[in-house]
């Protein structure tokens, strides 16, 4: 495969394919495993992820890249094959989460800033050696009565831009993920408010990327969709989510960016698929629009597996189904009837 940033970015958003976000940090994977009563150990985490990466139909046909947590990048399958090699053998690009998590932003009570820039240049070189060809850094922006603040938007956009420039210097494609969260207690978190805040965050983001000299053709954007907050009590139609999301992206994202891969952010599996499908079915866009889901690709699989080796085939079938549905959504061919088929 070509080592050019632009070619890697294009491969990450290949036609009808998307990115599997399997980069749950130790605390997050523990929470996921707690929900199925499985102890989170190095081996159980390895077994679970090996099951995903050995899902041949899903990996070969619908998954273009996999975001890994650092531990997984260096882990070996039960038979000694590096997990990274399983991903490469399926024709997918291995990637790595490089941020050190969202920490409290000083001077505010609920806002966060993502840390991890110190020593990043050296870590990126190590990750490249280990086979990673793209990276991910996620910032979180919280909507509440008094937030987000300009300080939060600006600090996160600046850190994301510095991260992206360092990645490109190391030959690694940055996924830039400024996530406007859909959770949180706030009845005023309407779809209009999400639209306004996402537009603010993305416009700031692209200014910062420009200032940092980031090559837009060698990156992938990972944004949230425009949806009402979970606690708002309101529901939006699939058509409204699609229309607002496409409008917001067209207003903010330069056409030189090759692809946009959404996060699912707490939407149900089927909602995340339906929204992506509606956008691709109804709009002409200058970039590829696909998925980079964590929960919406893995929830059914995790449940079907439940930590039992005899359930590996069932877990893989569940993962394959969601990967296939989202692959169709990326092509705009998914309908509700596809789920039953
Ligand atoms: C898989 O979850 C990722 C890691 O989260 P933590 O750092 O909190 O463990 C997460 O960043 C993920 O890559 C994206 O947010 C997309 O995941 P969802 O579940 O929102 O599609």
């Amino acid at each position: 495969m070509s080592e050019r940033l632009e070619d890697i970015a294009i491969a990450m958003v290949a036609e009808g394919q998307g990115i599997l976000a399997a980069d749950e940090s130790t605390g997050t994977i523990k929470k996921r495993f707690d929900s199925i009563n499985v102890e989170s150990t190095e081996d159980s985490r390895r077994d679970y992820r090996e099951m995903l990466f050995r899902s041949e139909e899903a990996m070969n046909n619908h998954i273009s890249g996999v975001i890994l947590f650092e531990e997984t990048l260096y882990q070996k399958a039960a038979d000694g094959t590096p997990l990274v090699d399983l991903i490469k053998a399926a024709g997918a690009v291995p990637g790595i989460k490089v941020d050190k998590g969202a920490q409290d932003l000083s001077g505010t009570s609920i806002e966060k800033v993502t840390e991890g820039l110190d020593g990043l240049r050296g870590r990126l070189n190590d990750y490249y050696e280990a086979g990673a060809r793209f990276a991910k850094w996620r910032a979180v922006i919280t909507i509440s009565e008094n937030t987000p603040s300009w300080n939060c938007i600006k600090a996160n956009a600046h850190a994301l831009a510095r991260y992206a420039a360092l990645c490109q210097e190391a030959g690694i494609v940055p996924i830039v993920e400024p996530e406007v969260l859909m959770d949180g207690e706030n009845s005023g978190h309407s779809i209009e408010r999400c639209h306004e805040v996402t537009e603010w965050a993305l416009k700031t983001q692209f200014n910062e990327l420009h200032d940092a000299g980031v090559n837009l053709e060698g990156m992938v954007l990972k944004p949230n969709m425009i949806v009402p907050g979970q606690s708002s009590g309101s529901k939006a139609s699939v058509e409204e989510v699609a229309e607002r999301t496409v409008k917001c992206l067209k207003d903010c994202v330069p056409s030189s960016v090759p692809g946009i891969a959404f996060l699912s952010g707490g939407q149900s599996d089927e909602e995340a698929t339906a929204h992506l499908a509606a956008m691709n079915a109804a709009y002409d866009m200058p970039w590829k629009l696909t998925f980079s889901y964590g929960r919406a690709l893995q929830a059914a699989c995790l449940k079907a597996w439940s930590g039992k080796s005899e359930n590996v085939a069932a877990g893989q079938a569940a993962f394959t189904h969601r990967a296939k549905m989202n692959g169709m959504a990326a092509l705009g061919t998914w309908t509700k009837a596809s789920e039953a088929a």
Side-chain angles (χ1 to χ4, degrees), residues 37-219:
N37 292 318
V38 171
E39 194 189 348
S40 177
T41 63
E42 220 178 298
D43 281 352
S44 63
R45 294 191 289 271
R46 189 271 318 275
D47 290 346
Y48 173 64
R49 285 160 172 157
E50 181 175 348
M51 169 180 70
L52 291 172
F53 309 156
R54 284 197 194 273
S55 301
E56 274 184 35
E57 192 190 333
M59 293 293 299
N60 292 347
N61 302 311
H62 313 296
I63 300 296
S64 52
V66 183
I67 317 175
L68 303 170
F69 187 56
E70 192 184 57
E71 174 187 77
T72 322
L73 183 69
Y74 296 102
Q75 246 173 351
K76 291 192 165 78
D79 68 1
T81 312
L83 292 181
V84 165
D85 289 353
L86 297 182
I87 295 168
K88 285 195 213 156
V93 187
I96 173 85
K97 183 231 296 291
V98 302
D99 68 66
K100 294 281 184 189
Q103 311 297 334
D104 291 342
L105 180 66
S106 59
T108 83
S109 55
I110 55 169
E111 293 192 292
K112 306 273 179 197
V113 63
T114 302
E115 295 187 349
L117 288 170
D118 287 354
L120 182 58
R121 179 177 272 131
R123 286 198 287 128
L124 285 167
N125 292 331
D126 295 343
Y127 298 147
Y128 184 96
E129 284 303 310
R133 290 296 176 271
F134 74 90
K136 187 203 94 171
W137 178 293
R138 170 174 173 254
V140 294
I141 295 153
T142 305
I143 293 182
S144 75
E145 217 181 311
N146 304 310
T147 66
S149 64
W150 168 235
N151 186 31
C152 172
I153 296 268
K154 170 99 179 152
N156 277 299
H158 183 72
L160 270 162
R162 285 188 58 198
Y163 138 84
L166 282 166
C167 284
Q168 292 189 335
E169 184 186 280
I172 287 181
V173 170
I175 290 188
V176 174
E177 182 178 3
E179 175 176 4
V180 177
L181 296 171
M182 64 186 283
D183 44 345
E185 288 306 309
N186 177 20
S187 55
H189 185 158
S190 59
I191 193 167
E192 290 82 4
R193 183 77 179 124
C194 175
H195 193 151
E196 186 179 81
V197 170
T198 304
E199 186 171 335
W200 185 20
L202 290 178
K203 288 207 161 127
T204 309
Q205 189 59 68
F206 280 96
N207 279 336
E208 290 286 339
L209 290 166
H210 172 76
D211 290 350
V214 171
N215 167 12
L216 299 185
E217 292 178 23
M219 64 161 276

Side-chain angles (χ1 to χ4, degrees), residues 21 23-25 28 97 136 138 177 222 264-265 293-295:
D23 59 317
E24 297 84 0
S25 51
T28 305
K97 183 231 296 291
K136 187 203 94 171
R138 170 174 173 254
E177 182 178 3
K222 178 165 171 171
S264 58
Y293 298 156
R295 286 162 284 181

